[in-house]
Amino acid sequence: MNIIIFGPPGSGKGTQAKRLADRYGIPRICTGEILRESIKKKTELGLKIKNILDAGNYVSDDIAVALVQKRLEDVDCAEGYILDGFPRTLSQAEALDEFSEVGFVLFLSVSDKEVIKRLSKRRQCPKCNKLTNISEGESCKECKVKFIIRDDDDPEVIKKRLIVYHDLTQPLMEYYKPRNLVHVINGEQSEEKVFKELLLALGDDD
Ligand code: ZN
């Protein structure tokens, strides 16, 4: 079961990907995590990646593709995988087709308005970095410090992230559409409802 999941920031994509991974016993492969791991290993490539990320840039398609390709060769991917954060570009999608057969493209659809609403409610503990919602109170119970708004969740930054997201995602949807792999799920429903619809899209109706 080879799955790609797409969704804007704040769509709950990470949570759903984890739940699917648990259900099917396949790994959720998040590019951000692979990058952090290769930095930890302090290889030549890891150092190169660190410099790129420290400068606030994205790694090149070549690097991203090589890392994902290598990761998909691990034994835990034998039964499939859920890719989260990859492919980001058309050329990454084309490269992926060279070494793996994508079975499902799940797309969590959430309007920009709703994304902004959700993310502007998000807060973070400056000490333990826990993410939370304003409904959870003003301070972190464990750390006894006030939650703050992350730089990433500033409304102006959110708007910019959404523009980048749409620019990147639209061509990918067009790329996969002719193969009838794309399942659009309304992400503005409860977590439970979204999960059920994802399972249906995967042909899992129990
Ligand atoms: Zn805390």
Side-chain angles (χ1 to χ4, degrees):
M1 193 170 246
N2 300 341
I3 305 170
I4 303 176
I5 190 162
F6 289 106
S11 61
K13 171 174 66 98
T15 309
Q16 297 291 350
K18 266 182 226 152
R19 290 188 64 174
L20 292 173
D22 284 348
R23 182 174 177 95
Y24 299 114
I26 54 178
R28 167 193 172 219
I29 298 172
C30 171
T31 355
E33 268 162 39
I34 304 185
L35 291 173
R36 279 192 293 276
E37 265 165 38
S38 62
I39 291 174
K40 253 192 256 160
K41 283 182 197 148
K42 293 195 172 135
T43 56
E44 204 177 315
L45 179 64
L47 275 172
K48 199 171 153 192
I49 293 169
K50 186 175 186 303
N51 290 332
I52 296 168
L53 297 185
D54 283 351
N57 297 317
Y58 285 113
V59 298
S60 68
D61 285 343
D62 286 354
I63 293 179
V65 167
L67 288 171
V68 170
Q69 182 171 14
K70 195 162 175 295
R71 179 64 184 85
L72 294 189
E73 285 165 8
D74 290 347
V75 301
D76 62 340
C77 297
E79 301 293 322
Y81 55 76
I82 302 178
L83 280 175
D84 177 357
F86 184 95
R88 272 178 62 86
T89 64
L90 217 43
S91 103
Q92 289 181 4
E94 284 162 359
L96 177 64
D97 281 335
E98 301 287 318
F99 56 82
S100 190
E101 194 175 332
V102 176
F104 298 91
V105 176
L106 304 174
F107 177 66
L108 289 185
S109 164
V110 178
S111 70
D112 287 3
K113 202 177 146 202
E114 176 68 15
V115 168
I116 293 166
K117 199 173 116 194
R118 287 184 184 180
L119 293 188
S120 59
K121 282 186 190 159
R122 199 149 79 168
R123 296 292 182 274
Q124 188 172 39
C125 170
K127 225 171 159 185
C128 70
N129 296 327
K130 188 182 114 177
L131 281 173
T132 181
N133 207 292
I134 35 176
S135 61
E136 301 296 312
E138 285 188 359
S139 334
C140 176
K141 284 189 190 86
E142 281 89 64
C143 308
K144 317 267 184 245
V145 289
K146 272 200 161 184
F147 290 125
I148 54 164
I149 301 177
R150 297 194 319 164
D151 291 343
D152 265 8
D153 293 337
D154 173 88
E156 284 312 305
V157 178
I158 296 171
K159 280 180 200 157
K160 276 186 200 143
R161 284 166 73 197
L162 280 169
I163 292 171
V164 173
Y165 169 76
H166 291 302
D167 281 351
L168 289 171
T169 313
Q170 202 48 46
L172 290 170
M173 289 303 121
E174 298 302 321
Y175 179 73
Y176 288 114
K177 235 182 227 162
R179 278 185 261 170
N180 290 325
L181 299 179
V182 181
H183 300 266
V184 180
I185 309 294
N186 173 6
E188 294 188 24
Q189 311 177 89
S190 69
E191 184 187 319
E192 238 8 82
K193 190 94 205 311
V194 171
F195 187 61
K196 278 211 176 105
E197 291 196 6
L198 287 170
L199 294 185
L200 275 177
L202 296 169
D204 180 348
D205 49 11
D206 113 313

